[in-house]
Amino acid sequence: MYRQKFFEVLDLAVTCVERRFDQPGYKTFSNVEQLIFNACRREPVAENLESVVKFFKDDFGKDDLESELRVLRQLYAQSDASSQTPTIRNVRDVLCSLSGGQAGLITDVWRLFQLLLVLPATNATSERSFSALRSIKSYLRSTMSQPGETEPFDGPPLPPGPNGCAENEGHCQRIHSTE
């Protein structure tokens, strides 16, 4: 009986996690992020570039964005952050440190970075499913007991100590001394 409930909850948890990370919005967010980070790491950008241009259709030209990502690659390599793994903060710092002329060279990358900052990584549906999962987990914890167990605790309750604690004296003194 407990095994069946365990596997039902486990199956529900796996399904919720898969559903959360299989959302189109999350895939778009991930593609935009990887496109910018791969350009900074000097890794191939073709696959992510294709999916980003396909998603944003008329907003970005493939050739223009590709050439601007090459400029970003050079600017990132010349920056102080080049020795670190690219993060959103590092890329932001590099972009903010550019002069007006340099920033004018990568206007599409700027727009793409701004989109990255405002794209939602999840949606309300996935958050509700995790909330429901938490409720189910709480319910199962409160209703399940070990086989042969009649009470939630073994043995009779301990009488309260002089400080109102039902624990041993040393433990109560440590708790009250830290207050």
Side-chain angles (χ1 to χ4, degrees):
M1 178 173 159
Y2 297 109
R3 180 174 276 193
Q4 180 184 359
K5 282 186 180 183
F6 172 77
F7 284 116
E8 287 174 8
V9 170
L10 183 64
D11 185 47
L12 179 63
V14 168
T15 302
C16 287
V17 168
E18 286 174 351
R19 196 176 309 146
R20 181 175 190 158
F21 294 108
D22 263 352
Q23 299 173 28
Y26 181 78
K27 288 181 182 178
T28 301
F29 176 83
S30 178
N31 283 331
V32 170
E33 183 182 50
Q34 288 304 311
L35 178 64
I36 292 173
F37 289 168
N38 285 349
C40 292
R41 285 189 294 245
R42 299 178 170 266
E43 293 179 2
V45 296
E47 183 179 327
N48 294 65
L49 178 66
E50 190 68 39
S51 63
V52 166
V53 169
K54 183 178 176 183
F55 180 80
F56 290 109
K57 295 183 174 105
D58 298 330
D59 295 328
F60 297 104
K62 182 179 178 188
D63 296 333
D64 293 339
L65 188 58
E66 188 173 19
S67 64
E68 289 184 19
L69 287 169
R70 278 191 233 118
V71 173
L72 174 66
R73 178 178 293 164
Q74 293 302 317
L75 293 171
Y76 192 83
Q78 294 169 0
S79 72
D80 296 335
S82 63
S83 61
Q84 302 170 358
T85 302
T87 62
I88 291 176
R89 177 169 285 162
N90 291 347
V91 174
R92 183 205 61 194
D93 291 344
V94 169
L95 290 175
C96 289
S97 69
L98 299 177
S99 66
Q102 290 173 324
L105 293 173
I106 56 171
T107 56
D108 284 346
V109 171
W110 260 107
R111 285 190 310 147
L112 191 63
F113 186 73
Q114 290 172 338
L115 283 171
L116 174 66
L117 295 177
V118 297
L119 279 174
T122 62
N123 65 24
T125 304
S126 63
E127 299 302 326
R128 281 193 298 270
S129 66
F130 272 91
S131 178
L133 179 62
R134 191 176 312 118
S135 299
I136 291 169
K137 192 167 94 174
S138 297
Y139 169 76
L140 287 174
R141 281 184 183 154
S142 67
T143 58
M144 291 177 67
S145 61
Q146 295 296 323
E149 188 178 89
T150 57
E151 296 274 331
F153 304 105
D154 290 312
L158 297 173
N163 295 328
C165 283
E167 309 292 327
N168 66 24
E169 287 300 313
H171 182 65
C172 284
Q173 288 173 354
R174 277 184 297 215
I175 290 173
H176 292 293
S177 67
T178 59
E179 293 178 345

